[in-house]
């Protein structure tokens, strides 16, 4: 039995440390602006710095797959990577809150799901369903339907496509 990188304790500790020390540079801003439209960029700007850093790192990790994709597929994958956590703008978590939810999801997945479903814990709902929330946000930004569909369907244990497999690999490899 091999643990996924994202469920290893040391991975999560390093991820937390990276989140609290994250930076988002001028070069990162230029990269993001070269991929996203104005409305998408506006939503992206609402993310906490550590979420922006994560999204940029996921997008850059995917560059090793560029040669296998058409230019249209590449743009869809890059946008999806940058926007896959955009639903988190509605009710952002700080790194401590995010860490608590990650630990709870690993130890007590049914509890976190029930908290989210009850409606009494909005941050747990956002944590679990930010992909659906993000897809709804992006419907108002002129985002390509393929990107919206990929984000809506991107969830742990969900149905996988070629693109969601690539995104999942990148998302798990990046702190």
């Amino acid at each position: 039995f091999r643990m996924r990188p994202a469920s290893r304790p040391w991975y999560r500790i390093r991820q937390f440390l990276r989140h609290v020390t994250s930076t988002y540079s001028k070069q990162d801003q230029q990269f993001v602006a070269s991929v996203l439209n104005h409305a998408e960029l506006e939503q992206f700007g609402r993310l906490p710095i550590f979420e922006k850093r994560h999204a940029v790192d996921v997008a850059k990790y995917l560059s090793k797959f560029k040669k296998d994709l058409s230019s249209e597929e590449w743009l869809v994958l890059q946008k999806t990577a940058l926007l896959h956590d955009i639903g988190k703008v509605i009710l952002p978590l700080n790194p401590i809150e995010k860490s608590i939810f990650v630990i709870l999801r690993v130890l007590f997945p049914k509890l976190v799901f029930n908290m989210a479903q009850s409606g009494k814990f909005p941050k747990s709902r956002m944590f679990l369903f930010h992909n659906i929330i993000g897809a709804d946000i992006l419907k108002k930004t002129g985002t390509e339907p393929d990107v919206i569909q990929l984000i809506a369907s991107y969830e742990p244990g969900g149905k996988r496509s070629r693109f969601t497999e690539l995104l999942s690999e990148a998302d798990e490899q990046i702190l």
Side-chain angles (χ1 to χ4, degrees):
F1 168 73
R2 266 187 70 188
M3 291 176 80
R4 292 179 19 215
S7 52
R8 294 182 188 142
W10 289 115
Y11 172 92
R12 290 299 181 182
I13 291 167
R14 285 184 10 245
Q15 182 183 49
F16 173 78
L17 293 173
R18 174 130 187 209
H19 285 175
V20 297
T21 61
S22 288
T23 59
Y24 182 66
S25 70
K26 209 50 151 168
Q27 290 85 4
D28 294 330
Q29 291 174 22
Q30 291 168 346
F31 167 69
V32 171
S34 75
V35 177
L36 302 181
N37 71 36
H38 178 74
E40 293 163 344
L41 195 55
E42 211 170 271
Q43 291 298 325
F44 188 85
R46 295 175 56 203
L47 286 169
I49 288 175
F50 73 93
E51 295 289 5
K52 290 176 189 174
R53 168 85 270 136
H54 171 73
V56 168
D57 289 344
V58 169
K60 288 184 176 181
Y61 177 91
L62 290 169
S63 65
K64 67 183 184 177
F65 302 109
K66 184 178 181 178
K67 67 184 180 329
D68 301 326
L69 303 170
S70 70
S71 59
E72 184 178 296
E73 289 174 323
W74 176 239
L75 178 61
V76 166
L77 189 59
Q78 286 286 276
K79 277 194 173 200
T80 303
L82 289 172
L83 298 170
H84 76 279
D85 285 334
I86 204 68
K88 295 177 180 180
V89 302
I90 297 299
L91 196 56
L93 298 174
N94 65 46
I96 293 172
E97 292 170 321
K98 183 175 180 178
S99 297
I100 290 168
F101 277 114
V102 167
I103 291 166
L104 286 174
R105 184 178 58 189
V106 170
L107 297 176
F108 309 106
K110 286 184 180 181
L111 171 68
V112 174
F113 182 79
N114 290 337
M115 288 169 58
Q117 288 292 91
S118 75
K120 295 177 185 174
F121 303 94
K123 287 196 175 189
S124 64
R125 184 170 192 74
M126 187 282 312
F127 176 74
L128 284 186
F129 303 119
H130 66 273
N131 61 318
I132 305 298
I133 296 165
D136 287 341
I137 291 168
L138 294 173
K139 288 175 185 173
K140 300 171 188 132
T141 63
T143 300
E144 294 84 347
D146 289 347
V147 174
I148 294 169
Q149 162 59 35
L150 284 167
I151 289 170
S153 66
Y154 182 66
E155 58 185 272
K159 185 179 174 188
R160 296 290 190 195
S161 70
R162 175 176 164 219
F163 286 160
T164 54
E165 283 296 331
L166 293 174
L167 183 60
S168 182
E169 176 184 327
D171 204 10
E172 289 181 7
Q173 294 301 317
I174 300 302
L175 288 176

